[in-house]
Amino acid sequence: MQKQIIQRIPVSDSHISTNLHPIIKQIYAQRGVSGDTELNLQVSNLADVNALEGIQDASEILHKVMLENQRIFIIGDFDADGATSTALMMEGLSLFGYQNHEFLVPNRFEYGYGLSPEIVEIAYQQGAKTLITVDSGISCHAGVERAKALGLTVIITDHHLPGNRLPKADAIVNPNLESCQFPSKALAGVGVAFYLMLSLRKTLRENNYFADVGISEPNIAQLLDLVALGTVADVVPLDANNRILVQQGLNRIRAGVTRPGIQALIEIAKRDQSQLVASDFGFALGPRINAAGRLDDMSFGINCLLANDISSARMMATELDGLNKSRREIEQGMQVEAEAIMSRLSFNQDNLPFAIALYQKDWHQGVIGIVAGRIKEKFHRPTIVFAPASDENTKEIKGSARSIEGLHIRDLLEHISGQHEGLIIKFGGHAMAAGLSINVERFDEFQTLFSQYAGQWIKEEDFQGKLLSDGQLPITEMTIDFAQIIRDAGPWGQRFPEPLFDDEFVILQQRIVGEKHLKLMVQKDGVAFDAIAFNVDIKAWPNHHASKVHLAYRLDINEFRGRKNLQLMVENLEAI
């Protein structure tokens, strides 16, 4: 849909260093940077590990478990955050000289999300004595209860929003606990896992563990490449603490100090390791890892991250790349079908429901979240896409929700669940994304109520798609040098967006490439620029009636055969 471009209002930036480029200085101020300390992305500026509630208890329990050589099972999750969290916990324990640990990831098509009673039984049968959840667990009451009934120790590490009651685990580490005073509520699951390894190292050091087992104290910084990848891929806000974690991980990767699995993923995605940026985690590496959990078994993605040599890592990365291509094909087919449903329902931009819920019995559970995101972007409405649960004998269907600014989707689902008992079987998630299960026979009822309540919760102006622009960029700064300054001023990401500019240009050339991408040559003040807009409406573009175009764009450096050129990455275009 056509988006409204809103230029940011200039704010005072006198509290930020005068050594910065004035445009970058203003951009930082507009993104809420409170002072130079937030721009110092050194590890020493990370939030204090001891501020995480429950982390000391978890560390002391793990210390005891390690002394007794109990068998530990890491219970992961089937997305990129869960995969990196699992790999980090596996490698972290190995760095401490511990070997009696294994991981187990629920297959979404058999067991569903998190620490289910079925997963607990599998771990127990394989000799588990202690379970550590990563990127999950805070809503897994039944699984924790089963584990405790079997006499297992349970440590939960998670970042998802808790419900009204907490599971009865032996320790819970989650920055989003209401009583937790940790300053960064935006930690991803992999960030929580990293902090637990920091705390455990401190506990082991204080108890002379390393000297007793005869190993040197490990450098936990070697886990930061995993933290950076999982943090960006999970699209959590890049607050000051997360920017440190991501930047430090990027620094290591760019310097060539990363694990074979990440190196292989960079290669298969055709990225330059020395020039990697945060968005590459979200658009290139993360989707290939996610593809394993969406279509097959996330254990494959985790094993790629844990690969000991580049040869085996490259083989696994190639498999993941193939899965990702299959995922894209399935997703594209589902998106076409979803849009056809919208068309049959006679919806258009002027006649849309307040929220969209779609279901088809042959849709693939593994890609419903991506399709929900695509539909949400196209129509700018909160969207839930449902697919059948894997068990053919059940009437349960699973939905993946994506929201727009102005609607906390998890809170809305909680409200609907409270008002209509039994309608939602289970749910969980964040402000912008959530998952849920309902009975297929109640889909029509849910579809109606979802739109109805969304209309009550969302302000009218929030239904208009908006893009915040940093204004017009002077022609003197539309250069490769300034594009590099922007790149170096990151990491950019969720809630700390890469600079976006807007302006009017004369159209010199326009053509479609790769089926639905628009390649442009545009001109401003006599200077020509290459530009590209992805996934355009091919019914509207190329537009040979238009001589000028209003672009909202980001500066990018395109490198081809050793030559670097400035390119405008178009976020929105409107013929003039």
Side-chain angles (χ1 to χ4, degrees), residues 137-145 156 158 160-169 172 174 176-178 410 414 425 427:
I138 201 65
S139 62
C140 299
H141 298 275
V144 173
E145 289 172 6
I156 290 174
D158 201 352
H160 293 91
L161 298 173
N164 294 327
R165 64 187 182 97
L166 299 176
K168 296 179 180 178
I172 298 176
N174 184 336
N176 284 300
L177 294 179
E178 188 175 349
R410 184 202 169 277
E414 184 175 43
I425 298 170
F427 68 92

Side-chain angles (χ1 to χ4, degrees), residues 19 147 176 298:
N19 295 328
N176 284 300
M298 183 48 90

Side-chain angles (χ1 to χ4, degrees), residues 115-379:
L115 185 68
S116 64
E118 295 87 349
I119 289 297
V120 170
E121 292 287 350
I122 293 172
Y124 179 73
Q125 293 298 325
Q126 294 183 21
K129 297 296 182 183
T130 296
L131 305 179
I132 307 174
T133 72
V134 291
D135 191 35
S136 65
I138 201 65
S139 62
C140 299
H141 298 275
V144 173
E145 289 172 6
R146 182 57 185 152
K148 296 311 296 177
L150 292 171
L152 304 183
T153 299
V154 181
I155 297 171
I156 290 174
T157 73
D158 201 352
H159 69 124
H160 293 91
L161 298 173
N164 294 327
R165 64 187 182 97
L166 299 176
K168 296 179 180 178
D170 294 273
I172 298 176
V173 186
N174 184 336
N176 284 300
L177 294 179
E178 188 175 349
S179 54
C180 183
Q181 300 302 307
F182 192 72
S184 174
K185 301 296 184 182
L187 273 183
V190 69
V192 179
F194 177 72
Y195 265 87
L196 178 56
M197 291 298 96
L198 284 177
S199 178
L200 178 59
R201 183 181 64 174
K202 179 173 177 287
T203 297
L204 297 180
R205 178 197 306 136
E206 292 170 349
N207 287 276
N208 298 313
Y209 175 88
F210 298 114
D212 292 343
V213 299
I215 64 171
S216 301
E217 184 174 313
N219 179 11
I220 302 298
Q222 60 191 289
L223 302 174
L224 284 167
D225 55 351
L226 290 168
V227 181
L229 170 54
T231 297
V232 176
D234 208 43
V235 203
V236 293
L238 289 195
D239 62 6
N241 203 64
N242 277 341
R243 291 204 305 278
I244 294 173
L245 293 171
V246 172
Q247 186 61 50
Q248 290 299 317
L250 276 172
N251 289 347
R252 295 183 65 84
I253 294 171
R254 289 169 179 166
V257 185
T258 188
R259 65 203 62 251
I262 289 181
Q263 181 184 335
L265 287 167
I266 293 170
E267 291 174 359
I268 202 74
K270 295 181 172 57
R271 294 302 195 269
D272 182 347
Q273 185 169 333
S274 66
Q275 296 295 318
L276 203 74
V277 293
S279 60
D280 291 326
F281 291 136
F283 294 109
L285 277 63
R288 287 172 168 82
I289 296 173
N290 274 328
R294 294 187 187 282
L295 300 187
D296 197 343
D297 183 349
M298 183 48 90
S299 298
F300 199 75
I302 295 168
N303 283 324
C304 179
L305 294 173
L306 291 173
N308 291 319
D309 63 89
I310 190 63
S311 178
S312 59
R314 283 171 176 154
M315 290 177 62
M316 286 185 274
T318 300
E319 289 284 339
L320 290 172
D321 188 56
L323 283 172
N324 192 50
K325 290 174 182 174
S326 298
R327 185 271 305 168
R328 283 201 297 261
E329 291 173 2
I330 294 170
E331 170 207 331
Q332 287 168 2
M334 284 175 57
Q335 185 175 342
V336 169
E337 292 173 356
E339 291 176 7
I341 291 174
M342 297 289 291
S343 178
R344 289 199 302 271
L345 294 173
S346 300
F347 291 144
N348 55 51
Q349 291 298 156
D350 300 318
N351 179 33
L352 279 172
F354 295 119
I356 298 168
L358 301 172
Y359 165 69
Q360 197 157 299
K361 63 181 180 181
D362 60 348
W363 280 352
H364 196 291
Q365 189 189 132
V367 299
I368 53 177
I370 299 175
V371 175
R374 300 277 193 254
I375 299 296
K376 184 261 299 188
E377 285 297 319
K378 180 165 185 173
F379 296 103

Side-chain angles (χ1 to χ4, degrees), residues 21-41:
H21 189 291
I23 294 177
I24 297 297
K25 185 177 172 182
Q26 177 63 199
I27 285 168
Y28 278 152
Q30 288 174 327
R31 282 150 181 74
V33 171
S34 61
D36 290 351
T37 54
E38 283 192 30
L39 302 176
N40 184 353
L41 302 183

